């Protein structure tokens, strides 16, 4: 089920997007869309509120993870600014393929697994702690 940018935002915000059709790369795309349209702080507020609402509507409010959400938004924002603001989602993700991987993904560079698995990191934004040795 491919949806255009406007429809993705609308269906996410009104919680009509099927949960089984909202995978990691869709989260990244949605974050990119918000950051393409709003200043960072507004995008962060709108996206996190939307994720909490979406998870609650799916009956899984415990799925929301503050550190992962904020870290991805900050990382996407930085990549957008460093890369000269790509004109399209396809251009952005082609230039940043590491953002597409969930398991063993990019956050492993910045966070230890124990940190991301902690209740504190789920509840509040925790600063990076070094991740894995590369």
């Amino acid at each position: 089920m491919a949806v255009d940018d406007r429809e993705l935002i609308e269906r996410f915000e009104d919680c009509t997007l099927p949960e089984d059709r909202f995978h990691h790369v869709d989260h990244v795309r949605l974050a990119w869309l918000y950051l393409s349209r709003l200043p960072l702080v507004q995008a962060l507020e709108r996206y996190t509120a939307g994720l909490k609402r979406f998870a609650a509507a799916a009956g899984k409010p415990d799925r929301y993870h503050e550190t992962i959400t904020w870290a991805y938004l900050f990382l996407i924002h930085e990549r957008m600014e460093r890369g000269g603001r790509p004109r399209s989602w396809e251009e952005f993700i082609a230039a940043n393929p590491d953002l597409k991987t969930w398991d063993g993904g990019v956050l492993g560079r910045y966070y230890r697994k124990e940190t991301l698995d902690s209740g504190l990191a789920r509840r509040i934004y925790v600063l990076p702690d070094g991740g894995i040795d590369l």
Side-chain angles (χ1 to χ4, degrees), residues 37 39 50 63-64 71 83 89 96 105 118 123 126:
R37 292 162 169 75
R63 280 257 177 107
Y64 177 78
W89 160 247
N96 297 280
S118 73
R123 203 171 60 253
V126 174

Side-chain angles (χ1 to χ4, degrees), residues 11-12 25 38 42 44 63 98 113:
R11 294 189 72 190
F12 168 73
V25 75
L38 299 167
Q42 289 177 348
L44 184 65
R63 280 257 177 107
D98 60 328
K113 182 177 180 348

Side-chain angles (χ1 to χ4, degrees), residues 52-106:
K52 289 174 184 177
R53 188 174 52 251
F54 188 85
K60 300 174 183 175
D62 60 324
R63 280 257 177 107
Y64 177 78
H65 193 297
E66 185 106 325
T67 299
I68 290 173
T69 301
W70 285 38
Y72 265 98
L73 272 156
F74 292 146
L75 186 58
I76 293 164
H77 180 258
E78 179 183 334
R79 300 264 183 102
M80 290 170 74
E81 294 300 321
R82 284 181 186 262
R85 288 261 178 197
R87 291 183 298 272
S88 71
W89 160 247
E90 291 78 14
E91 185 180 315
F92 175 76
I93 202 62
N96 297 280
D98 60 328
L99 295 177
K100 293 193 291 188
T101 303
W102 173 244
D103 286 334
V106 67

Side-chain angles (χ1 to χ4, degrees), residues 3-17:
V3 295
D4 65 24
D5 295 345
R6 180 190 53 76
E7 184 180 4
L8 178 61
I9 292 170
E10 286 176 5
R11 294 189 72 190
F12 168 73
E13 289 183 349
D14 68 14
C15 300
T16 60
L17 185 66

Side-chain angles (χ1 to χ4, degrees), residues 107-119:
L107 291 189
R109 294 185 203 158
Y110 305 101
Y111 292 94
R112 292 186 329 247
K113 182 177 180 348
E114 312 82 72
T115 302
L116 290 178
D117 287 347
S118 73

